[in-house]
């Protein structure tokens, strides 16, 4: 079986996705020197994401326990993580996740709606000012700050620290960051979030971090380390994915003006644009990683005990078996548009999916209502992805706001 090398510079994401799909529903990839399996088919992903023989604990990875992969591997920070609902399985995962889902209630999200609307309006004013003289980067001025301000508000982050966190996470995710520097960033984040949790323990506020500290239902309360682990992961996932969702949705709609017109007239719901973007050009390219506790047979292929398994969500979103022969096209009328898997599936499905959808459902119609003639300032083919292997993240999105 051919091993496909995943491009660390993300130079040809479409070509990479095509090669992965052509390699079959279970492909062998080289992930910066780590040979692992990746899943490219929707149905198989659903099957494996609920298979208890695949676990999140890095000690189930033979390359780690044998010393082939060390803490110098550039992606280790996404796998060797603090104890949280993202890193454990079974009863302990259910316990840790229950605390979060209880705190991240529908009411708490709805209470955020006026804040999201207010921040959106404020950032649209900033966008108008920045773009008054010509080209403006939609990502820098609008799509980047919005999710961080929202997740910061939700978690109780000091607004003065949002820029600091954005810088840390940018360095953490980039494959261009030297590993020694990335490890220093991880250490700085540990210190920051530990201090934040200690402060919230002493003086609780009306925020999700305080709610996690105080949660008592469903077993033992979370330890300080568990609160910190959940907090760090939620802030990371809570802003990175939404940035890409917003930018990729605008990109797709600009490229399909007739579909944008249907949204403007109300012939199509904005929720369809959100779901089709998640399927067609979702925020996550490759989600790391699960490890086989025993041999798992998939057709004529065996995932051996100790092997790593990645979910290639962008390839999964282009699954022609589910979405048809035109899966590489953006289509708001697609009947299976809502059946995307961009936020995962099974026990580890992203707990912040509803928040990301809420932000996009507010921000996108507001953006196009304010700037109906918004257009790209460069040819689409000149847009460049950031060197972030896991996220589908453009370096910039230069636009003209129009008349």
């Amino acid at each position: 079986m051919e091993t496909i090398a995943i491009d660390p510079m993300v130079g040809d994401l479409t070509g990479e996705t095509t090669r992965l799909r052509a390699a079959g529903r279970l492909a062998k990839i080289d992930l910066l020197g780590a040979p692992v399996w990746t899943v490219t088919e929707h149905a198989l992903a659903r099957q494996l994401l609920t298979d208890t023989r695949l676990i999140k604990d890095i000690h189930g990875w033979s390359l780690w326990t044998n010393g082939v992969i060390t803490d110098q591997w550039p992606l280790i920070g996404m796998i060797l993580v603090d104890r949280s609902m993202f890193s454990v399985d079974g009863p302990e995962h259910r316990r840790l996740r229950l605390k979060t889902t209880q705190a991240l209630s529908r009411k708490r999200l709805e209470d955020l709606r006026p804040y999201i609307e207010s921040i959106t309006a404020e950032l649209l004013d900033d966008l108008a000012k920045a773009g008054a003289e010509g080209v403006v980067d939609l990502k820098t001025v609008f799509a980047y700050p919005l999710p961080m301000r929202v997740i910061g508000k939700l978690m109780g982050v000091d607004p003065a620290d949002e820029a600091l966190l954005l810088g840390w996470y940018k360095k953490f995710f980039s494959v261009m960051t030297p590993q020694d520097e990335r490890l220093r960033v991880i250490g700085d984040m540990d210190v920051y979030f530990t201090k934040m949790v200690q402060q919230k323990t002493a003086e609780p506020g009306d925020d999700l971090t305080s709610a996690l500290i105080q949660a008592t239902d469903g077993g033992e309360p979370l330890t300080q380390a568990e609160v910190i682990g959940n907090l760090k992961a939620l802030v990371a996932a809570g802003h990175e994915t939404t940035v890409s969702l917003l930018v990729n949705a605008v990109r797709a709609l600009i490229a399909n003006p007739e579909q944008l017109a249907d949204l403007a007239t109300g012939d199509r719901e904005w929720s369809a644009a959100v779901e089709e973007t998640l399927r067609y050009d979702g925020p996550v390219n490759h989600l790391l990683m699960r490890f086989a506790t025993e041999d798992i047979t998939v057709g004529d292929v065996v995932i051996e005990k100790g092997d790593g398994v990645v979910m290639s969500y962008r390839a999964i979103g282009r699954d022609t078996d589910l979405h048809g022969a035109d899966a590489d096209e953006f289509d708001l009328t697609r009947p299976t548009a809502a059946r995307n898997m961009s936020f995962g599936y099974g026990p580890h499905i992203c707990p912040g999916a509803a928040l990301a959808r809420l932000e996009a459902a507010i921000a996108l119609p507001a953006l196009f209502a304010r700037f109906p003639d918004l257009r790209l300032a460069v040819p689409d083919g000149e847009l460049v992805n950031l060197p972030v292997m896991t996220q589908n993240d453009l370096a910039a999105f230069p636009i003209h706001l129009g008349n």
Side-chain angles (χ1 to χ4, degrees):
M1 176 182 291
E2 176 191 5
T3 298
I4 299 173
I6 301 301
D7 178 11
M9 300 306 295
V10 199
D12 180 15
L13 183 56
T14 297
E16 179 178 279
T17 300
T18 300
R19 289 191 297 274
L20 287 172
R21 292 283 304 135
R25 59 181 186 153
L26 188 64
K28 201 66 175 287
I29 62 173
D30 182 284
L31 204 61
L32 294 182
V36 298
W37 297 101
T38 194
V39 180
T40 68
E41 182 193 65
H42 187 102
L44 181 59
R46 286 170 64 101
Q47 173 187 327
L48 293 179
L49 286 169
T50 55
D51 193 320
T52 57
R53 295 172 295 176
L54 287 171
I55 63 171
K56 301 282 283 185
D57 186 349
I58 192 173
H59 296 94
W61 193 17
S62 60
L63 293 181
W64 172 256
T65 57
N66 293 339
V68 175
I69 294 296
T70 69
D71 64 1
Q72 291 303 303
W73 189 54
L75 301 176
I76 195 64
M78 300 180 190
I79 304 172
L80 185 61
V81 295
D82 298 319
R83 179 180 171 79
S84 73
M85 63 179 173
F86 299 92
S87 61
V88 299
D89 298 281
E92 277 302 277
H93 169 260
R94 289 190 289 274
R95 168 181 161 266
L96 293 174
R97 186 180 177 90
L98 176 63
K99 307 294 186 181
T100 304
T101 54
Q102 287 175 340
L104 195 60
S105 64
R106 180 177 298 180
K107 180 181 184 303
R108 187 179 293 274
L109 292 183
E110 279 303 311
D111 287 346
L112 272 176
R113 181 184 290 274
Y115 180 77
I116 299 172
E117 292 171 343
S118 174
I119 294 301
T120 297
E122 180 182 325
L123 292 174
L124 289 175
D125 288 342
D126 292 344
L127 193 63
K129 293 175 184 176
E133 301 302 322
V135 178
V136 60
D137 181 11
L138 179 73
K139 180 179 176 184
T140 298
V141 180
F142 183 73
Y144 207 41
L146 175 61
M148 177 53 80
R149 292 178 69 172
V150 172
I151 196 67
K153 173 75 170 178
L154 177 65
M155 304 305 297
V157 172
D158 187 336
D161 295 334
E162 289 168 1
L164 177 68
L165 291 173
L166 281 170
W168 278 344
Y169 280 111
K170 185 175 181 179
K171 289 181 179 180
F172 172 79
F173 284 112
S174 175
V175 298
M176 298 301 291
T177 303
Q179 185 63 358
D180 288 346
E181 183 177 354
R182 182 181 288 104
L183 293 174
R184 284 196 297 273
V185 166
I186 292 172
D188 289 342
M189 287 195 290
D190 287 341
V191 171
Y192 176 88
F193 285 115
T194 297
K195 183 180 294 185
M196 179 176 163
V197 170
Q198 290 172 343
Q199 291 173 341
K200 295 291 182 182
T201 302
E203 299 180 21
D206 183 18
D207 53 69
L208 183 54
T209 302
S210 299
L212 287 173
I213 294 168
Q214 298 172 327
T216 56
D217 294 340
E220 292 295 318
L222 300 185
T223 66
Q224 176 177 288
E226 290 168 342
V227 174
I228 293 169
N230 276 1
L231 172 60
K232 286 171 63 178
L234 284 167
V235 172
H239 80 276
E240 278 289 334
T241 54
T242 309
V243 172
S244 298
L245 172 57
L246 293 174
V247 171
N248 294 350
V250 174
R251 182 183 189 179
L253 290 171
I254 289 176
N256 294 274
E258 71 290 346
Q259 298 189 56
L260 177 58
D262 287 343
L263 292 167
T265 59
D267 290 341
R268 296 290 171 191
E269 298 292 330
W270 280 97
S271 59
V274 174
E275 296 307 320
E276 178 67 349
T277 301
L278 288 168
R279 179 205 70 81
Y280 168 77
D281 200 17
V284 177
N285 292 330
H286 312 288
L287 188 67
L288 280 54
M289 188 182 301
R290 287 168 171 77
F291 312 103
T293 58
E294 60 183 82
D295 290 357
I296 301 173
T297 301
V298 178
D300 58 357
V301 176
V302 176
I303 302 171
E304 295 183 355
K305 178 181 179 180
D307 283 355
V309 179
V310 170
M311 296 291 154
S312 288
Y313 282 120
R314 193 173 192 275
I316 290 168
R318 304 296 183 95
D319 184 350
T320 54
D321 289 342
L322 178 64
H323 298 293
D326 63 346
D328 287 329
E329 298 178 12
F330 183 85
D331 183 3
L332 296 182
T333 69
R334 191 179 304 281
T336 57
R339 293 167 61 184
N340 68 76
M341 204 180 288
S342 285
F343 291 113
Y345 182 77
H348 283 279
I349 191 170
C350 177
L355 177 60
R357 287 183 164 104
L358 176 62
E359 290 179 63
I362 291 172
L364 290 172
L367 173 67
F368 281 105
R370 180 75 174 270
F371 306 110
D373 298 319
L374 182 154
R375 65 187 187 278
L376 263 175
V378 299
D380 185 88
E382 293 183 11
L383 297 174
V384 177
N385 278 80
L386 282 173
V388 179
M389 298 176 67
T390 51
Q391 273 73 45
N392 181 9
D393 197 359
L394 289 173
F397 197 77
I399 58 170
H400 288 293
L401 297 178
N403 298 323

